[in-house]
Amino acid sequence: MAAAAGTAAAAAYANLKLHITPEKFYVEACDDGADDVLAIDRVSTEVTLTVKKDVPPSAVTRPIYGILGTIRLVAGTYLIVITKKKKVGEIFSHAIWKATDFDILSYKKTMLHLTDIQLQDNKVFLSMLSHVLSVDGFYFSTTYDLTHTLQRLANTSPEFQEMSLLERADPRFVWNGHLLREFAAQPEIHRFATPVMHGFITMHSCSINGKCFDWLLVSRRSCFRAGVRYYVRGIDSEGHAANFVETEQIVHYKGSKASFVQTRGSIPFFWSQRPNLKYKPKPQISKSVNHMDGFQRHFDSQIISYGKQMIVNLVNQKGSEKPLEQTFAKMVNSMANGMVRYVAFDFHKECSRMRWDRLQILMDQLAEQQDEFSYFLVDSDGKIVTQQEGIFRSNCMDCLDRTNVIQSLLARRSLQAQLQRLGVLHVGQRIEEQADFEKIYKNAWADNANACAKQYAGTGALKTDYTRTGKRTQWGLIMDGWNSLIRYYKNNFSDGFRQDAIDLFLGNYSVDEVEPASPLHVKKDWKFLALPIIMVVAFSMCIICLLMAGDTWTETLAYVLFWGSASFGTFAIILYNGKDFVDAPKLVQKEKMD
């Protein structure tokens, strides 16, 4: 499995120093035997290779751990670098790092060339970049290709192994692909470019029956059609699904490596669910487009990447989610592709009133299919023993809480088979009986759920008490209620900014320095300010009238009724015009995204 180990030619520089002068940024490679220095001209923005003796002694020097890339804002170009990292662990002796802090450095030495409005816009764009970088979950390695599964890496050519990490990375999972576009065009500087993935990685050294093995969980979040919960649903015209995440579970024991891969992604046709102040906005299926084109494209690309598809649709089969389930089932039938199968399981109905044991019904239904798909296994000599022939593509509405529960159960079943085959588990032994490992396993999957949920919905996941303990608890229900409240607030009043931040970072929106009217300045309707004020005043007056009773109870009642109906009336108008009161994205025309 030489392919899994990034060869020296493919490795990126691990130790860097940044030297700053008024004219240039110099990035010096400090790896053993390296003499390369990257010179970035702060005026012309030209990037060239030079050597250490060219760095002026007057330069201000600091250590950095990677170049995330460059981006143009109103004030000109900025360089984004990794300033802090934390070791997550090692995959087959390759160090894996989490980037924990970043710096955004301006090429321009002064902002005097900007107007007040431009200064303000530039500040907003910088805060958007800082927001994206503050979301936990950016991982990188300078010697290992984190964007590919073990199976993809094992089936590569010698030419692929000699490519730089930037060239060979899967573009779906490189979150700084747009920021590195200028680096990508110059192969001689690729070793200074660090592809960064977004998602979740955890690694544990475990022991069962005195046999030690490494157990890893890697979730790779797609940067295509990325965004926040209610503003990015369904697919785009290219067939990219919202909240698409590839999750790989890896076992390494005595040189043998096993892997089981699953995916999650939004229901793959054109639908939306815009926030409108209601707790759960009604999903809308687009009536004006041909769904089959995007649907077909989505599954064509999934089959190329993963083989056979087993769709596990966990949405409600009644209420507002019902049309989505019906449409999905109908479209799979119409496509009539033998490589794509479909199972619907109404998670909430089946597991209502804490009947979580009923998940076994679904597991039994999928068991035969899972045995057929198998898993990837390579022995200590590097010989491929089995390949994974197909994949479970799970979804609920958000592809977070329900999806994660099911994925953890499917992964455990696969792990049971792998550990038995590798000789870690004895015949008849079950993972559930290994108390120490079971605790690690459940907590890791709950942490995975939290990471995916924070990145998409803005809060931790729901139902993690079940993932952690195997049962539903009262405290878990209270925490779910709290997280649901925070989700409601964020989805309605801060997600527009979060969506804009992601669009800017990924290059879905490019800042035009000469653009006269910035999309950030959207004039609000009079009712946006007036109605909430009227409602608050009317409600306050209603309370005051109750506390300071009039001369007669009829007079008090009349005042209370008047102000009460005024506050209720304005609240009803606000709710009716809910879409005007939420924080909507400003940078990308969202019609394009539906």
Side-chain angles (χ1 to χ4, degrees):
M1 261 199 66
T7 55
Y13 289 125
N15 302 304
L16 302 170
K17 271 186 192 157
L18 174 65
H19 308 280
I20 303 174
T21 71
E23 296 76 36
K24 289 186 179 180
F25 295 123
Y26 294 94
V27 182
E28 177 192 346
C30 301
D31 293 19
D32 292 343
D35 191 44
D36 283 352
V37 173
L38 194 67
I40 303 171
D41 193 302
R42 295 176 69 173
V43 180
S44 70
T45 74
E46 192 186 1
V47 182
T48 51
L49 264 189
T50 179
V51 287
K52 292 184 182 178
K53 62 176 175 25
D54 289 348
V55 179
S58 60
V60 178
T61 302
R62 57 193 280 200
I64 59 168
Y65 301 105
I67 297 174
L68 211 63
T70 61
I71 191 166
R72 286 181 81 81
L73 301 181
V74 183
T77 309
Y78 284 79
L79 175 71
I80 309 177
V81 294
I82 300 168
T83 55
K84 281 186 191 160
K85 65 178 183 177
K86 180 179 158 201
K87 191 168 182 181
V88 181
E90 291 190 354
I91 295 183
F92 320 131
S93 307
H94 296 277
I96 308 299
W97 304 92
K98 180 194 267 193
T100 55
D101 210 355
F102 305 85
D103 214 345
I104 306 169
L105 306 164
S106 174
Y107 282 33
K108 293 276 200 301
K109 295 174 281 295
T110 169
M111 298 286 165
L112 294 174
H113 60 294
L114 299 181
T115 65
D116 285 350
I117 289 174
Q118 285 177 318
L119 263 175
Q120 191 54 43
D121 286 353
N122 201 62
K123 213 167 158 185
V124 173
F125 287 132
L126 281 171
S127 70
M128 286 179 181
L129 293 178
S130 298
H131 172 77
V132 174
L133 296 170
S134 72
V135 177
D136 198 32
F138 287 103
Y139 298 89
F140 68 96
S141 171
T142 54
T143 57
Y144 185 81
D145 188 347
L146 276 177
T147 64
H148 287 290
T149 62
L150 291 195
Q151 184 160 315
R152 286 202 292 271
L153 287 172
N155 292 309
T156 54
S157 64
E159 295 79 46
F160 176 88
Q161 292 164 43
E162 280 162 28
M163 288 179 186
S164 67
L165 286 176
L166 183 58
E167 280 176 292
R168 58 189 258 175
D170 187 329
R172 294 178 301 167
F173 306 122
V174 181
W175 269 65
N176 56 337
H178 169 69
L179 303 177
L180 287 174
R181 68 205 178 286
E182 287 175 16
F183 283 64
Q186 294 176 253
E188 71 277 10
I189 63 171
H190 278 190
R191 293 191 69 183
F192 284 95
T194 310
V196 174
M197 64 157 262
H198 197 212
F200 178 74
I201 300 180
T202 188
M203 308 179 185
H204 296 275
S205 291
C206 309
S207 175
I208 294 177
N209 296 328
K211 292 168 183 172
C212 297
F213 61 95
D214 291 328
W215 179 79
L216 298 81
L217 194 58
V218 182
S219 278
R220 306 173 179 98
R221 184 174 192 71
S222 174
C223 60
F224 297 143
R225 197 158 173 73
V228 297
R229 187 186 183 203
Y230 280 145
Y231 283 114
V232 181
R233 295 293 211 196
I235 51 168
D236 60 19
S237 55
E238 300 291 306
H240 301 305
N243 197 22
F244 183 86
V245 181
E246 173 189 274
T247 300
E248 180 176 24
Q249 176 178 266
I250 299 170
V251 176
H252 185 208
Y253 175 63
K254 284 188 174 172
S256 293
K257 306 174 183 94
S259 132
F260 178 65
V261 179
Q262 304 179 69
T263 59
R264 66 176 80 186
S266 193
I267 295 174
F269 45 81
F270 299 96
W271 63 284
S272 59
Q273 195 179 14
R274 287 292 147 75
N276 57 7
L277 295 182
K278 292 188 176 132
Y279 178 69
K280 210 172 169 189
K282 194 177 175 191
Q284 307 286 334
I285 299 172
S286 174
K287 293 184 172 68
S288 58
V289 292
N290 178 357
H291 291 280
M292 194 45 95
D293 282 355
F295 190 80
Q296 190 97 41
R297 275 186 187 177
H298 175 74
F299 282 106
D300 286 349
S301 70
Q302 294 304 295
I303 290 165
I304 290 165
S305 297
Y306 305 108
K308 291 175 184 166
Q309 300 285 305
M310 183 73 201
I311 299 161
V312 184
N313 187 1
L314 304 167
V315 302
N316 299 345
Q317 290 170 28
K318 62 173 201 288
S320 64
E321 296 179 14
K322 184 181 177 182
L324 293 170
E325 193 281 315
Q326 289 175 325
T327 307
F328 202 172
K330 202 159 77 188
M331 290 187 71
V332 173
N333 282 335
S334 309
M335 189 168 66
N337 184 333
M339 297 284 280
V340 182
R341 293 183 208 166
Y342 178 89
V343 164
F345 180 81
D346 189 333
F347 188 106
H348 285 150
K349 180 179 164 231
E350 294 292 346
C351 303
S352 61
R353 300 197 295 282
M354 307 275 214
R355 293 176 303 170
W356 292 74
D357 53 293
R358 293 178 64 79
L359 290 172
Q360 195 54 46
I361 298 169
L362 178 61
M363 290 300 106
D364 293 344
Q365 214 175 335
L366 300 175
E368 191 183 331
Q369 190 71 69
Q370 188 168 8
D371 294 340
E372 184 196 316
F373 286 171
S374 188
Y375 46 82
F376 176 72
L377 177 64
V378 64
D379 66 19
S380 50
D381 301 325
K383 189 167 137 294
I384 295 171
V385 182
T386 62
Q387 303 240 31
Q388 188 173 332
E389 305 287 343
I391 206 156
F392 289 98
R393 184 207 187 277
S394 308
N395 74 270
C396 43
M397 290 295 282
D398 300 321
C399 307
L400 295 176
D401 316 315
R402 292 173 271 187
T403 296
N404 200 77
V405 169
I406 296 306
Q407 285 198 337
S408 72
L409 296 177
L410 286 166
R412 187 200 271 119
R413 193 172 178 277
S414 181
L415 188 61
Q416 173 80 33
Q418 290 166 10
L419 292 179
Q420 273 179 343
R421 187 160 188 170
L422 293 169
V424 174
L425 283 175
H426 303 321
V427 180
Q429 269 191 319
R430 301 204 53 75
I431 289 178
E432 291 91 323
E433 296 154 8
Q434 317 307 316
D436 291 347
F437 177 74
E438 184 70 351
K439 190 176 176 188
I440 291 169
Y441 181 88
K442 284 175 170 171
N443 281 319
W445 272 97
D447 292 341
N448 178 60
N450 276 334
C452 291
K454 277 178 185 152
Q455 290 157 11
Y456 187 54
T459 73
L462 313 182
K463 305 177 179 67
T464 51
D465 56 324
Y466 177 77
T467 315
R468 287 190 201 279
T469 64
K471 51 182 186 282
R472 210 66 168 101
T473 62
Q474 297 299 332
W475 176 246
L477 287 171
I478 292 165
M479 284 311 296
D480 281 2
W482 174 245
N483 273 330
S484 297
L485 270 177
I486 294 174
R487 272 189 197 180
Y488 173 80
Y489 175 81
K490 286 192 169 180
N491 296 160
N492 284 284
F493 304 114
S494 69
D495 269 3
F497 177 84
R498 286 177 62 222
Q499 183 62 50
D500 283 339
I502 293 167
D503 284 331
L504 176 69
F505 188 86
L506 294 176
N508 301 331
Y509 175 82
S510 296
V511 175
D512 186 349
E513 290 172 55
V514 293
E515 192 175 17
S518 161
L520 294 173
H521 304 286
V522 179
K523 280 225 174 324
K524 287 286 185 188
D525 198 297
W526 65 270
K527 65 174 180 269
F528 182 79
L529 288 170
L531 288 174
I533 293 169
I534 293 167
M535 187 182 81
V536 170
V537 168
F539 186 71
S540 306
M541 290 301 291
C542 182
I543 300 297
I544 289 165
C545 291
L546 275 172
L547 296 175
M548 299 169 67
D551 297 339
T552 63
W553 71 268
T554 47
E555 187 187 350
T556 306
L557 185 64
Y559 279 128
V560 168
L561 282 174
F562 173 75
W563 290 115
S565 52
S567 63
F568 183 78
T570 44
F571 176 70
I573 295 166
I574 288 170
L575 213 54
Y576 182 73
N577 296 286
K579 279 190 178 173
D580 299 335
F581 288 88
V582 297
D583 176 40
K586 300 181 179 84
L587 299 185
V588 176
Q589 289 304 306
K590 285 297 156 230
E591 288 71 42
K592 288 185 200 164
M593 305 193 88
D594 286 347

